[in-house]
Each structure stands twice: as structure tokens, then as C-alpha cells.
Amino acid sequence: MSEDEETNNYSSSNEETDDNSDKELNDEDIERQKIRDNLSTLSFEELIKLKEKLGAKVYNETVYGSKPNKDKSQKEFKRSNKNRPREISSKIRPKRVGKLIGNNSSSVTPKSKKFVPRDPRFDTLCGEFDNKSFKQNYKFINDIRQKEKDQLDKEYRECTDPERKQTIKLLKQRIENQLRENEKIRKKKEKEENDKRELREKLKHGEKPVYKKKSVKRLESLVEKYEELKKNNKLQKHIEKRTKKMKLKDKKIMKKTVAI
């Protein structure tokens, strides 16, 4: 027998087997369709009972057909030992080393060993300055200053060294000025908030709001200041200081005019 005849016979046999397999598949599909048609007449409860009787696996195979076999040629890549590290894909780009945080030149690199100090007042990474939240967060400093003042008062009473007494006096004066200034700012802010609240209330009730001029506000603040001084019996002292200051100012102006 020649080689051509052998190849023809082999191809014909393959075709026959393919045809037979196709016929078998078609027969299975027809049978499965008949089963589905029969099952469609059953109620849902009867279907559940049938599934429980046959089993889920057999039921699914008869109705939906068997699952296709997995391709055994496809390898499963697993580690031979679970404690070994996983292999990193070569497609993943490695991270950049020494990437700067932000645009600021004073920023610290992640891998840098040298410590570069940053000033939070001028660094964009620290956000914007909010005076209200700052005062709220650091209001405990006034309490610390008050405690320091009390300690200095006690030390001043017990101290006998005149030089040390003078330094304590200066420290006390500085703390008192700081506390007084903070209290003044607090009262001013509180007054502004009250004025704004009053304006909002007027607008709610349909009244026309009255916005005070700067000159009126200045007069009101002066009146409040004088009333407070009068209450603390410091008005006379304040007037004397004020007159002395004005006299010195007038003297300077007179000297300038004479020189001209």
C-alpha cells in the first residue's frame, strides 16, 4: 500500500470518528431537551424534591450537561514551600528611590539619612494658618503664664537679692502685659462676634441693619476703656500719662518748627 493511500484512509477514519462524536453530541442534546421539556411541566416544589432525590451533581449534569474538562496542559504556578517569597512580576515598575515629598526644597526624601529641619510657618505641607483654631488649640498657654506669674509673685516676696528682685519684676511685668494684651484681643473678638450676631438677627426679623463707622467704633472703644479704668481706679494715672505723652509730642513738634 502506498503512502497516499495510507494518508487517505487515516483522514477518512478521522472524519468518521468526528461524525460519530457529533451524532452522539446531537443525541445527548436531544435527550437533554426532552428532559427539560418534561421538567418544565413540574412545579417548583416537585423540582426541589427531584433535585434532593437525585442529588445536585446528577441533576445539574442531566439538565445542564457536564462541565468541560479543564485543560491539563495549563500549569498552576505554585510555590514549592509556603515560606518562600513570591516572585515579583517583571512588568511592575519599581518605585523611584529618593522621590521628593512636595515641591518644597526643604522637604525630606524618604531614603535620606540626613535630617533637614522644616519651618512649619513657611512650609506648604503644614497647611494654611488659621488664627482662630490656633488660639483655640493653644489657649492653655495663658494658664501656664498665670501659674508662672503666681510663682514669680511668691519668689518676689521671699527674695532678698535686689538684682534678682529686679529681674523678677521685669518678668512679672512682661507676663502681665502678655495676659492683658490677650484679654484685650479676646474681648475685641467677642464684641465683633456679638455685633455680627445682632446684624444677623436683624436681617432675620426683616429689619434694616445698621453698620457702624470706624470713627463710631473707635469712640465706643475709648468709652469702654475709660469706664474700665474708672472701675479699677486707674483713670487719674492714665490721664497723667496721657498728658505727659502729649506734652513731649508737642515739644518735639516745636523743636522741628524752630529748626525750620
Side-chain angles (χ1 to χ4, degrees), residues 187 189-199:
K187 283 181 179 179
K189 291 281 182 188
E190 195 175 340
K191 192 175 182 302
E192 285 176 0
E193 285 176 4
N194 288 331
D195 291 340
K196 284 178 182 178
R197 202 179 295 113
E198 284 176 9
L199 287 169

Side-chain angles (χ1 to χ4, degrees), residues 214-229:
K214 285 184 180 179
S215 57
V216 176
K217 286 180 181 178
R218 202 180 295 114
L219 279 169
E220 284 180 357
S221 64
L222 282 168
V223 169
E224 284 177 6
K225 188 179 178 181
Y226 275 95
E227 282 177 358
E228 192 177 347
L229 289 165

Side-chain angles (χ1 to χ4, degrees), residues 50-75:
L50 182 66
K51 192 174 183 179
E52 287 175 356
K53 190 177 179 181
L54 294 172
K57 190 176 180 182
V58 177
Y59 178 82
N60 290 330
E61 282 180 1
T62 52
V63 176
Y64 304 112
S66 58
K67 290 181 181 179
N69 294 323
K70 288 183 180 178
D71 189 9
K72 291 181 180 179
S73 62
Q74 191 177 1
K75 291 181 181 179

Side-chain angles (χ1 to χ4, degrees), residues 101-121:
I101 304 166
N103 298 323
N104 198 347
S105 60
S106 63
S107 300
V108 185
T109 58
K111 299 289 180 181
S112 178
K113 291 181 181 178
K114 188 180 176 182
F115 175 73
V116 181
R118 294 187 289 112
D119 193 340
R121 296 174 298 172

Side-chain angles (χ1 to χ4, degrees), residues 171-197:
L171 287 167
K172 271 174 61 180
Q173 196 174 1
R174 189 180 70 178
I175 291 166
E176 283 171 2
N177 290 336
Q178 286 173 349
L179 291 168
R180 199 184 301 112
E181 190 64 28
N182 286 330
E183 187 64 23
K184 187 180 173 182
I185 291 162
R186 189 188 66 77
K187 283 181 179 179
K188 189 181 176 183
K189 291 281 182 188
E190 195 175 340
K191 192 175 182 302
E192 285 176 0
E193 285 176 4
N194 288 331
D195 291 340
K196 284 178 182 178
R197 202 179 295 113

